[in-house]
Amino acid sequence: MSEEEPKFVGTRRFGGQPVRQPAYNFRDVPYCSKDLAGSTLSEVTDRQHLVNSIAEFALLCNEATRRKHLSEIARGKKSRCPSKPLSIEYIFDRIDTDDPIWGFMVRTDTPMSSKGRTSNLKASPQWKRGMLQGFITVTTFTQWRSSFRFDSLHESAFAYDPDDLTELALKGIRKYDNDGRLAEELEATVHGGDPWNEGIVYPRIAEISLFGALGCGKKLLQLVIERLERSRASESQNYDYIVLQATENSIPFYESMGFVRVGCIMENKTSEKGYKSSPVESYVTKKHGETLAKISQEFGGNVWDTVFLNKPMYPTIGPRSWLKKGTTVFYHSTKAQILATSDASKTGQLGVTLEESSLAPKWYVAKENDTPRSIAKKFCVHFGDLLECNKKRYPELVGTSRLKSGTRIQVSRFDVEDEAYIPYSHWTFPDDELEPDEPSYMMAMKL
């Protein structure tokens, strides 16, 4: 990096004072009752409180992984190499960077019997009040790659998933965004920010950033989902979706809670400099006293989306702030949402052409007996370019080939090489060297 290029300062790697060690051994921590009987639940919003618990978070994750591994062996199940638990460095980075950040913790309070009832017996010497049994933290989804996009239809979206997971997905055992609709909804949400500073923020999408539990995981996740569904909209959060990064061992658990695998891709290059946002349209006020609330209503947008998009220019603006005549404001329109999708079948809506909608490669999911020639005619693209591009995936493809229903055909951005996009790697920053063989297993659900 040259001296003229900006240096990323969004996070600081773990360092400083030694982490505070717990006064107990995590092998002595009892499983939590499903109804949290005998335990205390506390909401945490203080960042320093979370920092003081870093060692406990890491040790609990290690212990949960160890117990699951031993349980599989005891049941005679073929045990694969356990997923790598959370590292102290990653935990610290998340607590230091996530904004906002809040969550829940569960700790022991009363000795319990093996049947989940209050025990009349004297607690064992190993038992202590305040042992950590579970934790979960929540933030607004943020990422630092300017080329990132949610896209389950792109060839690279699931390209590096383990073979066994891919096979299970094809058999319908693993849940994934097979028609690309969930990814389109996520990509169409308002977002904006500078990848070299605060990151690109998605105020409509909440993220489970840290999570570990011994018996109370389902309860903690349910509490978070309920809280998010009840939360009031504001300029910094207006959640419609929730995402998380799953380890291979945790996938069935998250699927049982309603999450599905969703595709995310990015270009294999350093992030571009400067502010980047979701597609927007502009409006110039025609008189004094117009407000973002009125403008959003007129153009069918959400007022909090409009506030979010205009905050970088007008830091103190609110829904009912009076604007001067001639003020330029930006809003997130229905047309802007169509521009963000990767589904080529949505072109033509509201007058959006395939050419102007091609912010990223567009895909058409073929119907039974569609041909490449008919698809090229449908989208008014050069037949030879479409055929050459898609022959990389289907070498025997010709203009009259009759396609099976569900075949994905690329219909735009023929100039973009397949290698330009790779699966998204979570928690990577503008100048990080990418490891495409270690992509994220992003899962999402609609609230």
Side-chain angles (χ1 to χ4, degrees):
M1 179 181 294
S2 67
E3 292 183 1
E4 289 75 19
E5 291 179 307
K7 298 182 184 298
F8 176 68
V9 293
T11 65
R12 55 189 175 92
R13 299 305 179 190
F14 180 73
Q17 297 181 351
V19 295
R20 184 176 299 180
Q21 297 296 322
Y24 57 92
N25 191 317
F26 266 84
R27 295 198 178 191
D28 298 326
V29 177
Y31 279 108
C32 182
S33 300
K34 292 182 179 179
D35 61 357
L36 305 187
S39 302
T40 57
L41 173 71
S42 61
E43 183 176 357
V44 181
T45 57
D46 178 58
R47 199 178 298 270
Q48 188 58 48
H49 189 162
L50 294 170
V51 170
N52 293 340
S53 305
I54 287 177
E56 289 182 291
F57 290 173
L59 290 169
L60 186 147
C61 291
N62 286 332
E63 178 61 15
T65 300
R66 187 187 72 85
R67 292 186 189 186
K68 182 176 180 62
H69 182 62
L70 293 177
S71 175
E72 290 178 346
I73 293 176
R75 288 183 285 124
K77 184 177 178 180
K78 185 179 179 181
S79 181
R80 67 182 67 197
C81 181
S83 300
K84 183 179 179 181
L86 298 179
S87 68
I88 284 181
E89 290 80 4
Y90 176 76
I91 295 171
F92 183 87
D93 265 3
R94 292 309 308 242
I95 294 173
D96 182 56
T97 304
D98 288 351
D99 186 27
I101 186 170
W102 61 273
F104 296 105
M105 289 188 193
V106 175
R107 294 184 180 275
T108 55
D109 183 63
T110 305
M112 302 294 290
S113 71
S114 59
K115 295 183 179 181
R117 302 188 182 95
T118 302
S119 175
N120 293 321
L121 299 176
K122 183 179 180 180
S124 69
Q126 289 79 24
W127 186 91
K128 294 179 181 291
R129 180 170 283 106
M131 290 174 156
L132 185 66
Q133 294 175 297
F135 67 92
I136 189 168
T137 64
V138 185
T139 188
T140 299
F141 178 65
T142 304
Q143 54 83 22
W144 286 263
R145 309 298 303 193
S146 60
S147 59
F148 170 93
R149 65 181 285 111
F150 290 100
D151 191 340
S152 296
L153 296 181
H154 195 278
E155 199 78 50
S156 298
F158 309 124
Y160 290 92
D161 283 1
D163 291 341
D164 55 342
L165 289 180
T166 300
E167 184 178 351
L168 291 173
L170 293 174
K171 291 180 179 179
I173 298 175
R174 292 276 76 85
K175 298 178 182 179
Y176 74 105
D177 183 31
N178 60 327
D179 60 4
R181 292 181 182 177
L182 181 56
E184 287 174 5
E185 291 181 24
L186 292 163
E187 181 61 23
T189 62
V190 65
H191 52 273
D194 184 347
W196 287 88
N197 288 289
E198 76 279 8
I200 300 172
V201 181
Y202 294 68
R204 291 273 190 159
I205 306 175
E207 180 187 4
I208 303 296
S209 52
L210 300 172
F211 189 18
L214 295 173
C216 54
K218 184 175 182 179
K219 185 67 174 179
L220 284 173
L221 190 52
Q222 285 176 334
L223 286 170
V224 165
I225 293 172
E226 291 170 5
R227 172 66 63 85
L228 292 173
E229 290 177 335
R230 297 197 312 267
S231 63
R232 295 181 60 183
S234 70
E235 63 188 61
S236 62
Q237 57 185 51
N238 186 16
Y239 300 131
D240 289 327
Y241 304 89
I242 183 170
V243 298
L244 53 84
Q245 312 299 319
T247 62
E248 191 167 343
N249 290 334
S250 66
I251 292 171
F253 167 72
Y254 289 125
E255 288 179 339
S256 72
M257 298 294 290
F259 289 83
V260 300
R261 172 78 164 108
V262 68
C264 308
I265 59 173
M266 61 182 181
E267 290 185 82
N268 191 4
K269 65 179 184 180
T270 299
S271 288
E272 297 175 359
K273 308 175 185 70
Y275 189 90
K276 180 182 185 298
S277 78
S278 48
V280 299
E281 294 189 57
S282 63
Y283 169 76
V284 180
T285 56
K286 297 179 175 59
K287 60 182 180 180
H288 294 307
E290 291 189 63
T291 65
L292 293 186
K294 185 175 179 62
I295 294 169
S296 299
Q297 184 179 19
E298 181 179 351
F299 292 103
N302 179 278
V303 65
W304 293 115
D305 288 351
T306 309
V307 171
F308 173 82
L309 288 169
N310 289 279
K311 275 284 183 179
M313 296 173 297
Y314 316 113
T316 61
I317 201 168
R320 302 195 181 281
S321 298
W322 280 36
L323 305 175
K324 292 181 178 180
K325 180 181 178 180
T327 301
T328 299
V329 296
F330 298 95
Y331 64 94
H332 194 64
S333 68
T334 303
K335 181 176 179 179
Q337 295 177 44
I338 294 173
L339 290 173
T341 67
S342 60
D343 185 355
S345 66
K346 292 187 178 180
T347 56
Q349 298 182 29
L350 299 181
V352 179
T353 66
L354 181 64
E355 182 178 356
E356 69 174 320
S357 70
S358 293
L359 303 176
K362 304 295 179 183
W363 301 82
Y364 173 69
V365 181
K367 298 177 181 178
E368 191 71 25
N369 291 325
D370 272 346
T371 66
R373 191 175 292 278
S374 68
I375 294 172
K377 184 177 181 180
K378 177 181 178 70
F379 293 104
C380 300
V381 297
H382 190 273
F383 163 67
D385 291 341
L386 181 144
L387 186 65
E388 182 179 356
C389 175
N390 287 279
K391 285 189 75 170
K392 299 173 184 177
R393 303 174 190 84
Y394 316 113
E396 298 181 3
L397 195 68
V398 297
T400 56
S401 297
R402 295 188 178 276
L403 305 174
K404 292 183 179 180
S405 177
T407 302
R408 291 183 298 124
I409 298 295
Q410 186 175 336
V411 297
S412 74
R413 295 299 305 272
F414 303 130
D415 58 310
V416 177
E417 295 292 333
D418 287 343
E419 293 76 14
Y421 286 91
I422 60 174
Y424 172 63
S425 294
H426 186 53
W427 208 243
T428 53
F429 302 106
D431 52 353
D432 281 353
E433 293 185 8
L434 305 178
E435 298 291 343
D437 58 336
E438 294 185 5
S440 300
Y441 197 95
M442 180 85 82
M443 301 188 76
M445 70 174 289
K446 188 170 184 177
L447 293 169

